[in-house]
Amino acid sequence: MVTAPGSRRRHRETPREGSPRGGSSQPAAAMSSAQRPPLAHVFKGTFVHSSASAPLEILHGHLLGVDDSGTIVFVEQADQLEQLAKTWGFKTSDIRQLSKHEFFMPGLVDTHIHAPQYSFTGTRVDLPLLQWLTAYTFPTEAKYQDGGFAEEVYTRVVRRTLKNGTTTACYFATIHTDSSLLLAEIIDKFGQRAFVGKVCMDVNNSVPEYREITADSVQETERFVRELLEKKYPRVQPIITPRFGPSCTEDLLNALGDLAQTHDLHVQSHISETEEEVKLVENMFPAYQNYTELYDKNKLLTSKTVMAHACHLSEEELKLFSLRGAAISHCPNSNFSMCSGVLNVQKVLEHNVKLGLGTDVAGGYSASMLDAIRKTMVASNSLQINKVNETGLTLKEAFQLATLGGSQALGLDGVIGNFEVGKEFDALLINTKASDSPFDLFSADDFEDTLQKFLYLGDDRNISEVYVAGKQVVPFSSSV
């Protein structure tokens, strides 16, 4: 079993008065616990996460402390208990001891999900992308000018993803500013961490009632960003969201690039999902060398950009992604369900391009990031079967992509992604012997067997608690 390298700094030496994050620099030992609020949580048990040096680390018999602002303040072996209790002013009775069938893992990061499409998730994956948008997606998204309809679907998608362990999500909404702001409000109420994008599209010949005038799209996006930032939600941020090349004019792309640059905002869109889409972009924008250059020249390919799919990018385009520090969201369920293509993840990573996983609801038929991990393995295996790659990804690497990789893709790896000291405690408490668990354990199973069974066979029944920034958000409180 892998354990964390001992050389890394594992705890804050001097917690400070008021909260361990700020205030006086008085040494901890000199302070009485009465002078400082108690730690929000002290957990003892097994913690599983990824680090820069290892795709999977298993920390058995560790203590993890979380302060009242939701920040991890120590991760130490349990034999350090006496010193930690003295330093941080907690009693043995404050420690929550996990059972041998429980462990903590970092929250899952969904780098690409369409909230409005949740209403038809699990249906209608019988057409290729461009026909699918016309027949199902655009007519459905047009309904979100109705606030009541939007509230029902958005409430359900946030509840469902949280229950499935998605602590951070990067959402597309629709072209409607007010219902997009409503999505942000609902996310904040439930305590999820998220980016929310009002979709921008001024070209739609197939469903012309679902499109904007260019100037309105820019103006409404400015309003969306302004009003969302004015709300000062602690963990919900706006993201500039041109739908994709074929639904935008060059003028719109350019204006959105300016907006992203002026306000230093994140950007999300789709790229090279299908070969048909790539050809369409070539015909619509002949002045550009390729799809990636279309975004790049309009200031939409930056170190704060995440692009979904990218199944058909050339070497040249991957080099440009790497140069700009832009990220890719790998959405294997959708790529298979709609026969779009198979992203070669290993090739992307060889080019040093940041990569996370996405469900791509509803092109992807599952809202669970555990499904995204499994489909990532299937995609990798299919490339090996077809002799494209000599070897495949390991399950440990897929786990890393769903957690730390996702945080890197969204530029949040300084805040979340694993259990390093100083990061916020976004975590899932997994119970491998939940009463209605969908898999069985046997006496011969060691911990790694149990972990693999959860990753391949587990579901929300095994996710007994979900934490975002130290606050328990699942089970849901009666106030939501």
Side-chain angles (χ1 to χ4, degrees):
M1 301 227 174
V2 190
T3 54
S7 58
R8 202 165 67 239
R9 187 169 67 92
R10 304 296 296 286
H11 62 92
R12 292 196 169 174
E13 313 270 319
T14 53
R16 294 176 289 278
E17 194 170 1
S19 112
R21 294 189 87 181
S24 148
S25 59
Q26 191 176 1
M31 295 168 61
S32 75
S33 56
Q35 288 175 281
R36 186 178 67 245
L39 294 177
H41 307 285
V42 182
F43 298 108
K44 182 183 176 187
T46 298
F47 301 84
V48 177
H49 73 161
S50 303
S51 70
S53 58
L56 188 78
E57 291 184 345
I58 298 168
L59 310 175
H60 287 300
H62 273 62
L63 287 160
L64 183 146
V66 181
D67 74 11
D68 62 337
S69 68
T71 303
I72 299 166
V73 290
F74 60 78
V75 183
E76 292 286 343
Q77 292 192 354
D79 60 10
Q80 300 298 305
L81 169 60
E82 201 176 322
Q83 182 57 47
L84 287 168
K86 194 172 155 190
T87 302
W88 292 96
F90 64 86
K91 302 188 290 293
T92 313
S93 58
D94 296 328
I95 299 170
R96 168 139 175 222
Q97 171 79 54
L98 306 190
S99 82
K100 64 179 182 177
H101 303 300
E102 292 178 313
F103 65 90
F104 269 113
M105 63 172 275
L108 295 160
V109 180
D110 188 344
T111 58
H112 185 68
I113 174 170
H114 293 265
Q117 295 173 22
Y118 182 65
S119 63
F120 66 95
T121 305
T123 69
R124 306 183 202 172
V125 282
D126 56 346
L127 291 174
L129 173 67
L130 300 180
Q131 294 88 315
W132 177 84
L133 289 170
T134 300
Y136 308 133
T137 305
F138 294 152
T140 299
E141 291 190 13
K143 296 177 186 173
Y144 283 79
Q145 58 194 0
D146 174 349
F149 178 70
E151 183 169 17
E152 183 194 359
V153 180
Y154 288 163
T155 299
R156 289 192 184 195
V157 71
V158 174
R159 286 178 68 96
R160 179 65 63 186
T161 53
L162 272 174
K163 219 165 125 66
N164 280 319
T166 299
T167 51
T168 299
C170 195
Y171 287 109
F172 275 59
T174 64
I175 65 173
H176 312 103
T177 305
D178 291 334
S179 63
S180 301
L181 288 165
L182 176 63
L183 172 58
E185 184 186 329
I186 290 165
I187 292 163
D188 176 67
K189 183 177 76 170
F190 280 96
Q192 195 173 43
R193 191 185 299 273
F195 289 98
V196 178
K198 182 205 91 63
V199 171
C200 299
M201 46 190 291
D202 61 348
V203 178
N204 190 352
N205 299 328
S206 60
V207 186
E209 62 272 24
Y210 189 60
R211 73 173 174 208
E212 306 163 289
I213 295 163
T214 310
D216 290 350
S217 184
V218 177
Q219 197 177 344
E220 284 299 297
T221 301
E222 286 174 338
R223 177 167 81 88
F224 172 76
V225 169
R226 184 178 66 250
E227 292 190 19
L228 180 44
L229 291 174
E230 281 170 0
K231 297 282 187 187
K232 292 189 163 52
Y233 297 136
R235 282 170 284 280
V236 185
Q237 299 179 53
I239 184 166
I240 297 297
T241 306
R243 184 174 209 107
F244 69 152
S247 63
C248 299
T249 59
E250 198 171 359
D251 285 348
L252 178 57
L253 292 172
N254 194 262
L256 294 173
D258 285 342
L259 191 59
Q261 187 179 54
T262 303
H263 298 285
D264 192 26
L265 296 168
H266 286 74
V267 175
Q268 66 177 346
S269 194
H270 303 85
I271 195 166
S272 300
E273 184 173 353
T274 70
E275 289 173 330
E276 189 185 7
E277 171 206 2
V278 174
K279 288 193 182 79
L280 182 57
V281 169
E282 277 173 19
N283 293 333
M284 284 177 69
F285 302 98
Y288 295 89
Q289 283 190 320
N290 52 49
Y291 204 160
T292 303
E293 190 181 85
L294 173 67
Y295 288 126
D296 185 52
K297 289 277 172 75
N298 287 292
K299 294 179 276 198
L300 291 164
L301 195 77
T302 73
S303 60
K304 288 188 160 188
T305 296
V306 59
M307 289 282 171
H309 303 289
C311 299
H312 307 283
L313 292 182
S314 64
E315 294 277 330
E316 193 185 353
E317 289 176 285
L318 281 171
K319 283 176 185 164
L320 189 52
F321 262 79
S322 179
L323 187 66
R324 297 289 183 255
I328 287 171
S329 172
H330 176 39
C331 306
N333 184 313
S334 172
N335 294 341
F336 282 130
S337 297
M338 299 176 65
C339 299
S340 300
V342 183
L343 176 67
N344 190 335
V345 169
Q346 284 151 295
K347 189 167 139 189
V348 171
L349 296 175
E350 279 162 17
H351 279 83
N352 293 314
V353 175
K354 296 177 292 190
L355 184 137
L357 306 185
T359 58
D360 192 27
V361 161
Y365 59 72
S366 171
S368 169
M369 282 296 294
L370 289 170
D371 173 85
I373 290 173
R374 294 159 196 167
K375 297 299 190 296
T376 293
M377 294 304 295
V378 174
S380 171
N381 292 348
S382 74
L383 292 170
Q384 207 178 334
I385 290 166
N386 289 301
K387 308 283 192 290
V388 176
N389 292 338
E390 283 181 27
T391 57
L393 292 170
T394 64
L395 185 61
K396 291 177 180 183
E397 288 167 331
F399 170 88
Q400 182 179 39
L401 293 174
T403 53
L404 186 59
S407 73
Q408 290 164 342
L410 298 180
L412 294 173
D413 48 312
V415 185
I416 57 161
N418 59 13
F419 295 135
E420 284 181 6
V421 167
K423 291 193 181 184
E424 295 185 14
F425 187 68
D426 284 17
L428 314 180
L429 179 63
I430 307 304
N431 181 358
T432 57
K433 279 213 165 171
S435 58
D436 50 354
S437 177
F439 57 89
D440 293 298
L441 298 177
F442 295 90
S443 55
D445 291 338
D446 64 16
F447 182 78
E448 288 215 26
D449 294 327
T450 304
L451 176 59
Q452 285 188 34
K453 284 187 175 185
F454 167 69
L455 292 174
Y456 274 128
L457 299 168
D459 61 24
D460 60 308
R461 288 170 288 187
N462 301 106
I463 303 172
S464 51
E465 293 173 11
V466 177
Y467 293 81
V468 177
K471 183 183 176 215
Q472 189 180 313
V473 294
V474 174
F476 302 114
S477 75
S478 54
S479 63
V480 295

